[in-house]
Amino acid sequence: MKILLPPSETKRPGGNDAPLDVSALALPGLGAKRHEVIDALIDLAGDEEHARKVLKLSPKQVGDVVHNRMLRSAPTMPAVDRYTGVLYDALDASSLAPASRRWLGANVWIHSAPLGPVGALDAIPPYRLAAGTSLPGLPALRRHWADATTEAIAGEDPDFVLDLRSEAYVALGPVPGTVTSCYVRVVTEHGRALNHFNKKSKGLLVRALAEDRPRVRSLRTLRTWADGRGLVLRSSDDSGVEELVVAE
C-alpha cells in the first residue's frame, strides 16, 4: 500500500541533515521536473518584492522568500517532521516507535508543490509554494506536474493507493486509473463534510496504520483493518470515494 498525504503550509525551520539531494527522493523519475521548479523558485527569490506578490506573502512572511532562495543549500529534515499543522500534529510522527517510522518511510508519500510526492522520511528543506501558485517561466503547476506524477506513480506499480490529499494536490498528480485506489473524505454520521476534523482524522488514521503496520492490498483489507480498530469506513455515492465517519 501507498498512502498519499497533502503537505502543510506551516513547517518547522532548520534541520540537521545535509542539503537537498534531489536524486535521493522517492519517485526519482520526477527529478527533471523537480529541478525546474527549484530553479524557478530560487530565481524568483532574487527579487524579494516580486516573490512576495507571486507567493501572496505578507511583509512578516518575508523569511519564506529566504527559504526558497536557499533551497539547494539549507539543512534538511525528514518530510514527515518538516510539516506541522493539524494533520501532522495528529500524526505526531516523532513519537512513533522506530518500526512505525520505517513503515511511514516505506508506505507514505507526501505531495509537495515544489518536489512532487516525496517519501515520508525523505530529507527536504523548508520552502514556500502552494499548489495554486503560478511561477514565472513555468506553466501552471497542475500542467507542470500532473502527467509526470501520474506516470511516476504508475511506474511504482503499487498494489493499492490510499489517497488522503486535498483536491488541489490531487490535481497535481491524479492516481492512474490502472492502480487500485480510494480517495477518503471525512464526514459525520449524517454525511456532513468536516474541515478541521478532516485533517485531524486523516492524521490519526495514518498514525494508527503506522502503529499496526497492516498488510493492506485492497479496499477490502483496509476495511477489515479499520473494523478491528473501531473505525468506520463506508462507501460514498461517488465512485472510488470512501467516507471516514467521525463524531462531531
Side-chain angles (χ1 to χ4, degrees), residues 42-203:
I42 292 173
D43 288 345
L44 177 63
D47 185 334
E48 187 176 290
E49 183 176 353
H50 185 46
R52 280 182 43 218
K53 290 179 180 178
V54 170
L55 301 174
K56 297 180 172 60
L57 302 178
S58 72
K60 293 182 179 180
Q61 295 173 308
V62 68
D64 287 336
V65 177
V66 177
H67 287 155
N68 287 350
R69 190 180 302 143
M70 298 177 63
L71 277 171
R72 294 194 184 277
S73 59
T76 60
M77 69 173 66
V80 75
D81 300 321
R82 174 69 70 192
Y83 296 106
T84 62
V86 176
L87 189 157
Y88 291 93
D89 290 348
L91 172 54
D92 194 14
S94 64
S95 70
L96 287 170
S100 294
R101 282 183 63 89
R102 288 194 296 271
W103 187 93
L104 288 177
N107 293 276
V108 173
W109 291 325
I110 302 174
H111 198 154
S112 77
L115 300 171
V118 299
L121 299 184
D122 286 355
I124 65 170
Y127 68 87
R128 182 61 174 251
L129 183 65
T133 304
S134 293
L135 291 173
L138 286 182
L141 289 180
R142 180 172 181 170
R143 289 171 52 203
H144 179 83
W145 281 119
D147 290 347
T149 301
T150 299
E151 182 179 343
I153 293 172
E156 293 291 311
D157 195 25
D159 293 323
F160 178 71
V161 172
L162 179 62
D163 195 345
L164 303 180
R165 295 174 294 174
S166 60
E167 291 182 3
Y169 281 91
V170 171
L172 297 190
V175 177
T178 55
V179 173
T180 302
S181 67
C182 76
Y183 182 82
V184 172
R185 178 187 301 140
V186 180
V187 300
T188 68
E189 292 180 1
H190 303 292
R192 187 172 72 85
L194 297 169
N195 291 323
H196 175 86
F197 286 103
N198 169 59
K199 294 178 180 180
K200 181 177 180 181
S201 297
K202 288 178 178 179

